[in-house]
Amino acid sequence: MPWKYSDKVLKLFMAAVKGEAGTHMGELEDADGFGEHGSIVCGDTLRFTFRVERHPTDPTRDIITQARYLTFGCTSAIAASEALCTLLEEQHKTPLEALQVTNQDLIDFLDGLPEQKIHCSVMGAEALQKAVADWAVKRGVDLTKWLPDTTPADKDEDEGRVVCNCFSVTEPYLRRKIKELGLHSIAEITNALKAGGGCTVCHHAPGGLQDLLDETWGVMPNKDFEETPASAAAHAEAELSPFRLGQQIEALITELIRPQLRGEGNNIELVDIKEHKVYCRMTGSCSQREETARAVKLRVEHQIKEHVDDRLQVIVV
Amino acid sequence: MKHIYLDYNATSPVRPEVLEAMLPFYREQFGNPSSVHWAGRQVGGALEKAREQVAAFINASPAEIVFVSCGSEGDNMAIKGSLGALKEKGNHIITTTVEHPAVLETCQALEKEGFDVTYLPVDKDGQLNLDDMEKAITEKTVLISVMWANNETGNIYPIEEIGAIARKYNIRFHTDAVQAVGKVPVDVQKAKVDLLVISGHKLGAPKGVGAIYVRRGTRMTPLLHGGHQERNRRAGTQNMAGIVGLGLACEMAGAEQESYYHRVRALRDKLEDGVVALVPDIKLNGTPNRDQRLPNTLNVSFAYIEGESLLLNLDMYGIAASSGSACTSGSLEPSHVMGAMCVEVTLAHSSTRFSLGPETVPAEIDKVLEVLPATVQRLRDMSPLYNCGRTSDNCETCQTIKRI
């Protein structure tokens, strides 16, 4: 197997499969909360139910007493489901507190998950959110009133535009999760949400994963970045005026590059900027030797590309 | 706990006789066969003996055998080397959708360089339609590449008929025979193949050695440059110990061919009959005709459950098998072979391959048949897809299962 599971994952998985005492496989009848996440197309599905001890007057003070799951999925999906139920039961949480349980909590409980398996923990957290939303409806609790910051899974998410066809992942869901989980690259999206892990067509398609990332976080220049029509359009939009471009480069040199070079006995001076070419003068020891001069130039260019615009070139005069 | 190894299509242990034969080539006879002095001369004979052993095994002549580092290298060399040499004649390859990645991804890489590739589809049993193949041939076709037997399903392809088609149109024919050699008779003359690839570690020789049969007169550009070894076909100092091991493994496999087939086939049939009788809701992957499958391979999907969790569960009992599930491969999509056969996604995720070997004994099959049904049932009890309570009219999953 190309990855290694933690001992905790294997232990929970085996205990669950053997049906040992204290494990949570099953489905509660007339559950107070019911949530499902995943689909068979994705290769994993979790059906999650919980029961509460009802508070006589205040439903927000209900306590989760029992949690159960049915899971179709790999070892880590089953272990993550087991982790979710154990965590909730052990900590006697109210459903509102349970909403604060994140996929990271599940990962920590499992002593880590392989990168490519992060989506198993996300599946657990999603099913939990849906179950709490179900509980809220049943108990007449207005979630938005109590926890205005959380955005429980929206029904429209299932009906939004499908971005990743292989795993039927929709745009509204992606937008929410990219922000919620702080996903900054396509690989991170695939590990956490599976999206983009199949045919890869949606990676750089218009309205695809890269576009969603760019819209969420702003355009991130990347040295391996391939210019696609969509990103070219994004570039055009983000085009700086020559004045602003000059300001940004000047600031970068003053604040970051020059202090670094000074430490090595060198200095740099901005001479001019024309059509994505940045003309610089180097002084100090680097200008004496060709190899060092070239290395310094490449490093400066890399920093300017990374922080300002990936089309910029540095020319030493 | 006793280990039960049922993953011989992935790799096999080195046979004790083979290991014994290899050892002197690390210390006593360490020479480079290209050297003229005593140390080099000492090993030259062993190199040529191994070449004869491999050649005899597949009915070729020794000069047609080139030693390589592995099956993947052989496949790369066969395809890239052929297209390089036949550039003037055309740029079209015909292959299948169920090839090993060593062929499939090589072809995909060539597509990016401007070559045309036709990937022939298979039916639900994984079988090829040879009419499709004939129709796909164009004036530009320079190579047909079809595996002798499939690693996942064990399906054996009609290599002799494909060889006849290739001859008829005067097209070069390459076959990846890595899974076939040792398990079924392989004869390059009868099959009319021009290029055939063998991997050592699938038949009791070590990893890191393989061979390619190159029919006399087949022009190839080399994959590796930088040496005159292997008649200028493959640069690099020969892996002497590995090559000696491969030679002996081939000789032994040839001698035992028939007894191996009957013994392993009986065990596989016992396993197959047992699984069919003891576990409901399963789907056999590959051709139902056992004569057209490798004698050692059984590939079966267990509805409602996922393959990786089943594998790990079996592993706890010491049973090693493999799966077409995405979760075992590092990707998110299930095996391309299951996909090509249009196996439903859920069933593809639960496809499990048992591949037996010469060291498999009846007690091991009994143990698997004892453990497997209960394990499958337990995982099904955990699955929200099992007994979901919905009727098959409005439940996609139920319909999927009904299509088994």
Side-chain angles (χ1 to χ4, degrees):
Chain A
M1 234 157 279
W3 44 67
K4 199 177 174 302
Y5 289 125
S6 70
D7 291 343
K8 188 81 174 276
V9 168
L10 292 176
K11 214 181 111 208
L12 277 178
F13 170 73
M14 273 327 281
V17 172
K18 287 182 181 158
E20 285 174 11
T23 55
H24 302 85
M25 191 272 282
E27 185 171 7
L28 297 168
E29 278 185 33
D30 304 318
D32 293 306
F34 171 93
E36 225 172 354
H37 190 76
S39 78
I40 54 167
V41 217
C42 310
D44 41 26
T45 314
L46 166 60
R47 187 183 301 175
F48 171 73
T49 48
F50 68 77
R51 210 190 295 288
V52 294
E53 192 184 297
R54 296 186 175 211
H55 191 273
T57 52
D58 183 1
T60 61
R61 287 159 73 189
D62 286 358
I63 301 283
I64 296 176
T65 54
Q66 242 190 335
R68 292 289 179 269
Y69 69 88
L70 287 177
T71 298
F72 165 82
C74 55
T75 307
S76 48
I78 290 174
S81 313
E82 195 55 62
L84 172 66
C85 294
T86 312
L87 208 125
L88 291 174
E89 284 186 7
E90 272 177 3
Q91 303 185 353
H92 306 290
K93 284 188 186 297
T94 69
L96 293 179
E97 287 165 350
L99 268 188
Q100 307 292 348
V101 173
T102 64
N103 75 305
Q104 190 57 46
D105 295 331
L106 298 181
I107 295 174
D108 294 343
F109 189 89
L110 293 167
D111 294 340
L113 274 180
E115 251 185 21
Q116 305 92 320
K117 295 291 191 173
I118 301 292
H119 62 86
C120 295
S121 65
V122 173
M123 178 169 78
E126 279 295 307
L128 170 63
Q129 280 205 6
K130 287 181 184 166
V132 171
D134 176 55
W135 162 84
V137 172
K138 284 178 179 159
R139 294 286 276 153
V141 175
D142 181 5
L143 279 186
T144 51
K145 186 171 135 213
W146 286 91
L147 297 160
D149 294 342
T150 55
T151 43
D154 195 329
K155 275 197 191 104
D156 297 343
E157 281 190 353
D158 292 342
E159 279 136 38
R161 178 178 69 91
V162 174
V163 177
C164 165
N165 275 312
C166 297
F167 296 105
S168 327
V169 188
T170 63
E171 183 185 327
Y173 178 69
L174 279 166
R175 282 190 188 279
R176 174 167 67 86
K177 293 313 260 187
I178 287 173
K179 263 194 212 145
E180 224 172 84
L181 303 174
L183 307 174
H184 278 86
S185 68
I186 292 174
E188 283 174 9
I189 293 182
T190 303
N191 287 337
L193 311 173
K194 287 194 164 189
C199 66
T200 72
V201 160
C202 63
H203 286 191
H204 293 289
L209 299 180
Q210 189 60 53
D211 282 0
L212 292 181
L213 283 170
D214 291 347
E215 283 168 35
T216 311
W217 308 114
V219 180
M220 308 270 287
N222 177 329
K223 60 178 165 27
D224 303 323
F225 192 72
E226 280 175 53
E227 186 118 313
T228 62
S231 62
H235 265 309
E237 248 176 76
E239 189 78 67
L240 295 168
S241 70
F243 175 70
R244 297 256 302 132
L245 187 70
Q247 270 189 324
Q248 282 201 6
I249 295 175
E250 183 85 90
L252 184 72
I253 289 178
T254 325
E255 284 160 28
L256 191 75
I257 299 176
R258 189 171 292 134
Q260 276 175 5
L261 292 181
R262 281 225 174 108
E264 299 155 9
N266 294 312
N267 204 350
I268 185 169
E269 205 183 309
L270 184 60
V271 180
D272 201 354
I273 304 170
K274 234 185 337 196
E275 290 166 8
H276 298 121
K277 289 189 177 71
V278 181
Y279 296 87
C280 297
R281 187 173 296 127
M282 308 276 192
T283 52
S285 58
C286 75
S287 53
Q288 310 295 315
R289 285 189 48 199
E290 215 186 302
E291 303 100 281
T292 20
R294 203 164 26 195
V296 170
K297 183 213 130 170
L298 284 174
R299 203 173 65 208
V300 170
E301 186 170 84
H302 181 77
Q303 285 175 323
I304 290 180
K305 276 172 186 278
E306 193 175 290
H307 292 280
V308 187
D309 191 325
D310 59 341
R311 292 168 297 178
L312 292 170
Q313 251 184 311
V314 169
I315 301 197
V316 179
V317 293
Chain B
M1 185 174 44
K2 251 197 94 214
H3 282 164
I4 299 177
Y5 186 75
L6 296 180
D7 202 11
Y8 280 87
N9 285 8
T11 191
S12 64
V14 175
R15 302 180 68 150
E17 301 89 335
V18 168
L19 179 62
E20 198 64 32
M22 288 169 58
L23 290 176
F25 292 88
Y26 288 105
R27 290 291 304 170
E28 294 95 29
Q29 303 179 47
F30 63 89
N32 185 331
S34 303
S35 306
V36 292
H37 48 59
W38 56 268
R41 286 198 307 273
Q42 243 181 7
V43 297
L47 177 63
E48 292 320 310
K49 183 183 168 202
R51 209 183 292 284
E52 282 164 23
Q53 287 167 317
V54 176
F57 179 48
I58 57 171
N59 195 19
S61 72
E64 296 172 311
I65 301 298
V66 177
F67 289 111
V68 293
S69 70
C70 60
S72 296
E73 186 195 325
D75 286 330
N76 269 270
M77 174 175 161
I79 297 169
K80 293 177 187 164
S82 290
L83 292 175
L86 300 174
K87 265 204 300 260
E88 313 299 320
K89 278 185 74 182
N91 66 344
H92 179 227
I93 317 167
I94 297 176
T95 184
T96 78
T97 45
V98 293
E99 293 300 309
H100 187 273
V103 169
L104 221 47
E105 289 179 22
T106 303
C107 287
Q108 284 160 0
L110 287 168
E111 271 184 290
K112 287 193 185 141
E113 288 175 27
F115 290 93
D116 283 332
V117 185
T118 301
Y119 301 94
L120 295 172
V122 293
D123 66 14
K124 64 175 182 33
D125 293 330
Q127 300 288 66
L128 284 171
N129 179 347
L130 295 189
D131 291 342
D132 287 350
M133 175 173 294
E134 231 173 316
K135 278 183 213 144
I137 295 173
T138 70
E139 282 177 358
K140 292 278 180 197
T141 309
V142 286
L143 182 71
I144 294 176
S145 175
V146 177
M147 65 197 336
W148 197 299
N150 185 272
N151 48 317
E152 291 190 30
T153 58
N155 276 10
I156 301 168
Y157 291 105
I159 294 302
E160 287 181 27
E161 293 167 45
I162 297 169
I165 293 175
R167 274 289 159 88
K168 186 169 137 196
Y169 293 92
N170 197 20
I171 297 167
R172 191 178 286 190
F173 178 30
H174 157 242
T175 183
D176 172 355
V178 164
Q179 292 296 342
V181 289
K183 296 172 189 151
V184 289
V186 167
D187 182 326
V188 292
Q189 302 310 336
K190 247 169 127 179
K192 302 184 187 68
V193 301
D194 301 305
L195 298 157
L196 178 141
V197 173
I198 296 176
S199 162
H201 71 106
K202 311 278 189 193
L203 63 149
K207 295 159 189 66
V209 67
I212 176 169
Y213 158 79
V214 183
R215 182 177 291 277
R216 188 170 288 126
T218 305
R219 275 190 308 124
M220 305 271 283
T221 51
L223 198 60
L224 299 185
H225 297 268
H228 60 274
Q229 292 90 347
E230 303 294 300
R231 299 169 175 248
N232 291 320
R233 293 223 189 255
R234 200 262 187 191
T237 301
Q238 285 93 344
N239 167 8
M240 275 311 299
I243 288 169
V244 167
L246 177 62
L248 182 58
C250 284
E251 186 182 308
M252 292 174 75
E256 296 162 7
Q257 179 82 74
E258 217 159 304
S259 64
Y260 164 89
Y261 186 96
H262 293 294
R263 193 162 37 83
V264 171
R265 164 90 190 243
L267 289 174
R268 192 276 313 269
D269 287 355
K270 179 184 158 108
L271 179 65
E272 188 165 330
D273 292 338
V275 171
V276 169
L278 297 170
V279 189
D281 295 338
I282 60 167
K283 177 188 182 301
L284 204 70
N285 298 312
T287 166
N289 181 348
R290 295 179 187 184
D291 293 336
Q292 287 176 20
R293 236 187 305 142
L294 292 175
N296 77 322
T297 308
L298 169 65
N299 189 315
V300 62
S301 288
F302 301 92
Y304 312 109
I305 63 176
E306 199 279 332
E308 193 216 43
S309 44
L310 178 62
L311 282 197
L312 232 102
N313 229 300
L314 292 174
D315 182 46
M316 303 284 176
Y317 293 99
I319 301 168
S322 76
S323 171
S325 154
C327 295
T328 58
S329 63
S331 78
L332 289 171
E333 291 219 319
S335 127
H336 72 280
V337 176
M338 296 300 132
M341 290 160 57
C342 292
V343 174
E344 302 278 353
V345 210
T346 29
L347 292 173
H349 276 295
S350 76
S351 73
T352 307
R353 178 187 71 188
F354 300 95
S355 49
L356 288 57
E359 294 179 40
T360 309
V361 295
E364 294 178 322
I365 301 299
D366 292 336
K367 178 76 183 171
V368 173
L369 289 175
E370 180 196 318
V371 167
L372 184 68
T375 307
V376 169
Q377 189 54 46
R378 180 67 194 167
L379 287 169
R380 281 181 176 171
D381 289 339
M382 298 181 97
S383 166
L385 310 179
Y386 187 57
N387 279 341
C388 65
R390 290 170 243 186
T391 61
S392 56
D393 300 333
N394 56 16
C395 170
E396 195 188 324
T397 314
C398 307
Q399 279 172 5
T400 302
I401 309 301
K402 274 180 84 182
R403 277 197 286 266
I404 289 178

